[in-house]
Amino acid sequence: MMLLLTRKLLTLKMASAARAFSLKVAVVGSGPAGFYTTQKLLRNPEIKVDIYEKLPVPFGLVRYGVAPDHADVKNVINSFTATANNDRVNFYGNVALSSDIRLEDLIQAYHAVVLCYGSAQDRLLNIPGEQEAENLISARNFVGWYNGVPEDKDLKINLDCDTACIIGNGNVALDCARILFKPANLEKTDITSYAQEQIFRSKIKRIYIIGRRGPVQASFTTKEMRELMTLNEGNVRLEPHDIFDRQNVTIASLRKLSRPRRRLTELLISIPAKKLKSLSDIKGVEFVFKFLSKPYRILNDRIELQKTEFTSLEGFLDELAHPDDQDSYEVIKCGLIIRSIGYKAVVVDQSLPYNRKLGALSNTEGRVHGHRNVYCSGWLATGASGVIAGTLSSSHVTAKSILTDVEEKTLPNITRDKPGYQMISQILESKSKQVIHFNDWLRIDELEKKLGTNLGKTREKLVDLSKMLETARE
Ligand code: FAD
Ligand code: NAP
């Protein structure tokens, strides 16, 4: 193994000795995928990486997605900061691919381009009333609002009602429910102060979390569900409450499930049957997990659900639920609906092939189809599913493809120098674009931490783009 590594390093050294210039790679997006891909690429000493980011600040969903009360998850930022400080890495923030620079520019300027710009669009229900309903917001915007995404800071959200519905059974749905529940010490986290104030004044008493399939098909994970149940002990209800009995699902019959799925199901089975309380009797917030309920229509202050069912135990364990025989419907009156049914990627250039089902770019091991030196990683490559650790794996697969293409010289123009940022900077200068360097971000970071300390919290994020740019300039 050791011998193999030494030989590989020697080959790389010889190659770089033969080449009088570095191999320039542009990475677009500074979320986990951008940084993990960069980290792996740096293993080849010939490679230099320029990271382009649309926003003036780095770290993608680690800053703008991960819930404020999950501070530990954000520790990955330390390793990303070390990468950004590497001599062979440059960060160029406030530069968006498509509106500021074109993919064609990057292809010309760099030996390879890695697109890591994530999934910035909502999936839609495509049901009547969805577009018109004033009280429907997407989880993406709600999360952006409490986490300080500049374009979500003015989101109108009705917290002056007693009932909210969250559509979807993923971890984002649980994040939204937990934040609306106001977990202890939320005010000390990096949640934006305006969101925290509004949430603390919220009148919401009951939150429905609505799944179109059953508990065994839920996408949320045991850790997150357990956290919610522990925080809100005694105030969680499953509907229909006999959902496991009806299909005769017992712990013993769960043997065929995978271990994580079995653990989650055991947890859900352990929730005791309870009657739905009257709203005036609820202390705090009640969570009602409503399964087998497919959103059918949205009227402004209510949602209509079509009841679905499984035809067999096998179906209950791993299949699709169908509209029930009587074709019955249920209406829930609610002042707020949060659609949390997933994200999909934006296509920033017409030459990029899009896999509609996945909501991601068509690629093989990170190589974007139809291109010779364009790659992708993270959610843009896999679709919007998976945790940060999953993004690391996807990024390593992509970086490995690039390193292989370098080694096997299948990357075009590998024997010629490329202008890299020198060319891109001319385009940006011609547009008088203010570019944010990593040191500029560190100034924003310092100010945010200072503002936070004054308020007794970890950070108070700047949410105004012009204030961010001004701070960066100072
Ligand atoms: P992103 O993190 O979205 O990064 C994409 C980057 O590209 C962003 O910085 C964006 O601004 C930039 N960009 C977009 N368009 C352009 C453009 N045109 N030009 C230049 N730059 C652009 N995982 C966990 O492990 N733990 C958690 O607690 C957790 N919580 C989450 C909470 C939410 C609400 C969400 C949505 C996800 C959560 N995840 C969590 C999953 C995790 O965030 C993702 O796995 C990971 O962020 C995906 O990384 P990425 O780099 O592919 O995308
Ligand atoms: P997700 O896990 O894919 O969940 C989406 C949910 O929406 C599913 O329950 C899905 O149900 C439902 N859905 C999709 N289309 C629907 C429709 N038309 N009608 C009704 N329901 C519909 O997505 P996510 O919650 O956005 O999370 C994205 C990723 O981030 C996940 O991998 C998640 O684990 C990760 N994340 C992790 C954490 C954490 O670790 N703490 C926190 C947040 C997010 P079906 O299964 O029936 O399609």
Side-chain angles (χ1 to χ4, degrees):
M1 185 70 182
M2 203 54 200
L3 195 72
L4 212 72
L5 270 175
T6 325
R7 226 184 262 164
K8 211 159 192 171
L9 269 176
L10 216 70
T11 324
L12 284 173
K13 267 193 184 149
M14 278 163 59
S16 73
R19 210 174 272 141
F21 52 88
S22 52
L23 289 174
K24 300 186 179 71
V25 179
V27 163
V28 179
S30 68
F35 276 104
Y36 285 134
T37 308
T38 302
Q39 287 174 356
K40 185 90 173 177
L41 287 176
L42 290 179
R43 293 192 183 179
N44 179 333
E46 291 183 285
I47 291 183
K48 285 190 174 171
V49 179
D50 289 342
I51 303 178
Y52 291 92
E53 166 59 51
K54 173 176 81 166
L55 291 168
V57 292
F59 309 137
L61 285 171
V62 179
R63 175 179 163 103
Y64 285 133
V66 172
D69 58 335
H70 283 178
D72 288 356
V73 179
K74 304 187 194 205
N75 288 339
V76 287
I77 284 176
N78 298 332
S79 121
F80 298 164
T81 299
T83 305
N85 284 324
N86 187 299
D87 286 346
R88 288 189 283 133
V89 177
N90 285 301
F91 174 82
Y92 301 115
N94 198 34
V95 180
L97 176 61
S98 97
S99 55
D100 298 319
I101 46 173
R102 296 171 313 153
L103 180 60
E104 191 49 42
D105 301 327
L106 291 177
I107 291 174
Q108 267 187 44
Y110 289 87
H111 291 100
V113 179
V114 197
L115 303 175
C116 312
Y117 62 79
S119 315
Q121 277 187 93
D122 299 319
R123 285 193 181 274
L124 300 178
L125 289 161
N126 293 317
I127 57 171
E130 183 180 22
Q131 300 298 335
E132 301 81 25
E134 282 170 20
N135 285 336
L136 183 145
I137 56 174
S138 79
R140 193 174 61 81
N141 295 134
F142 178 56
V143 169
W145 175 73
Y146 65 65
N147 273 332
V149 173
E151 64 185 32
D152 292 325
K153 67 179 191 307
D154 299 317
L155 183 74
K156 294 217 174 353
I157 160 165
N158 178 22
L159 300 178
D160 218 8
C161 56
D162 49 40
T163 304
C165 286
I166 302 176
I167 306 168
N169 268 183
N171 278 330
V172 173
L174 296 199
D175 273 357
C176 295
R178 202 178 62 256
I179 295 299
L180 283 176
F181 164 79
K182 315 165 214 173
N185 296 327
L186 187 61
E187 69 282 8
K188 295 186 178 147
T189 65
D190 66 357
I191 188 170
T192 49
S193 289
Y194 62 77
Q196 182 249 316
E197 275 164 26
Q198 281 193 55
I199 288 170
F200 274 59
R201 276 190 272 116
S202 153
K203 295 194 177 135
I204 292 172
K205 300 223 111 193
R206 176 174 291 136
I207 301 174
Y208 287 95
I209 299 154
I210 297 168
R212 60 178 169 178
R213 299 195 282 158
V216 187
Q217 291 79 27
S219 292
F220 48 72
T221 39
T222 306
K223 185 165 164 271
E224 281 61 35
M225 184 62 192
R226 194 182 295 285
E227 179 185 12
L228 202 73
M229 285 169 62
T230 313
L231 281 174
N232 200 9
E233 216 180 325
N235 250 344
V236 178
R237 179 186 152 89
L238 290 198
E239 271 196 8
H241 70 82
D242 61 350
I243 191 161
F244 292 107
D245 301 343
R246 277 208 229 172
Q247 301 279 337
N248 235 344
V249 177
T250 58
I251 306 260
S253 70
L254 298 178
R255 245 170 300 147
K256 77 172 230 186
L257 297 178
S258 65
R259 208 172 114 78
R261 178 60 66 194
R262 198 171 62 236
R263 279 180 54 224
L264 177 63
T265 311
E266 282 168 1
L267 182 68
L268 292 169
I269 286 183
S270 75
I271 296 175
K274 269 186 245 95
K275 283 216 171 83
L276 203 60
K277 290 181 185 161
S278 79
L279 282 166
S280 55
D281 289 343
I282 298 174
K283 289 196 175 61
V285 178
E286 182 182 57
F287 294 129
V288 181
F289 282 81
K290 196 173 256 307
F291 293 104
L292 300 178
S293 301
K294 192 172 167 222
Y296 180 75
R297 182 163 50 162
I298 292 173
L299 301 163
N300 203 25
D301 63 344
R302 63 199 67 204
I303 178 167
E304 199 171 333
L305 304 169
Q306 183 175 30
K307 306 304 287 173
T308 59
E309 63 180 9
F310 290 102
T311 41
S312 64
L313 173 63
E314 270 63 44
F316 187 81
L317 294 183
D318 54 29
E319 273 300 325
L320 266 182
H322 304 282
D324 83 355
D325 279 346
Q326 295 119 34
D327 226 15
S328 56
Y329 297 84
E330 179 183 3
V331 173
I332 299 179
K333 201 168 179 307
C334 53
L336 173 68
I337 302 171
I338 300 181
R339 182 188 54 216
S340 180
I341 61 166
Y343 297 46
K344 60 183 180 181
V346 179
V347 180
V348 298
D349 187 281
Q350 287 316 311
S351 72
L352 293 171
Y354 192 64
N355 178 332
R356 274 183 187 283
K357 193 160 171 244
L358 217 54
L361 296 186
S362 310
N363 71 94
T364 305
E365 293 178 344
R367 296 177 179 97
V368 174
H369 295 170
H371 282 267
R372 287 189 63 207
N373 64 342
V374 181
Y375 301 80
C376 61
S377 68
W379 275 14
L380 185 61
T382 60
S385 97
V387 291
I388 295 169
T391 305
L392 178 133
S393 313
S394 143
S395 305
H396 282 191
V397 168
T398 300
K400 192 167 167 235
S401 296
I402 300 170
L403 294 174
T404 305
D405 293 350
V406 167
E407 219 170 293
E408 293 177 358
K409 300 192 173 62
T410 47
L411 204 61
N413 296 319
I414 203 157
T415 50
R416 278 203 299 128
D417 195 7
K418 288 273 195 167
Y421 185 65
Q422 219 179 28
M423 174 183 148
I424 302 299
S425 65
Q426 284 167 13
I427 299 171
L428 296 171
E429 270 164 32
S430 72
K431 296 182 172 181
S432 306
K433 190 80 195 169
Q434 181 186 345
V435 177
I436 303 291
H437 300 271
F438 205 73
N439 278 340
D440 302 331
W441 146 248
L442 293 179
R443 259 194 299 283
I444 297 176
D445 185 40
E446 196 185 322
L447 176 63
E448 288 187 345
K449 284 182 179 154
K450 200 164 130 198
L451 293 172
T453 308
N454 295 342
L455 295 167
K457 53 193 290 200
T458 49
R459 173 189 297 273
E460 181 61 32
K461 288 179 190 162
L462 299 186
V463 295
D464 194 66
L465 271 181
S466 53
K467 176 74 183 159
M468 285 178 176
L469 297 177
E470 185 194 313
T471 308
R473 268 196 303 268
E474 273 161 12

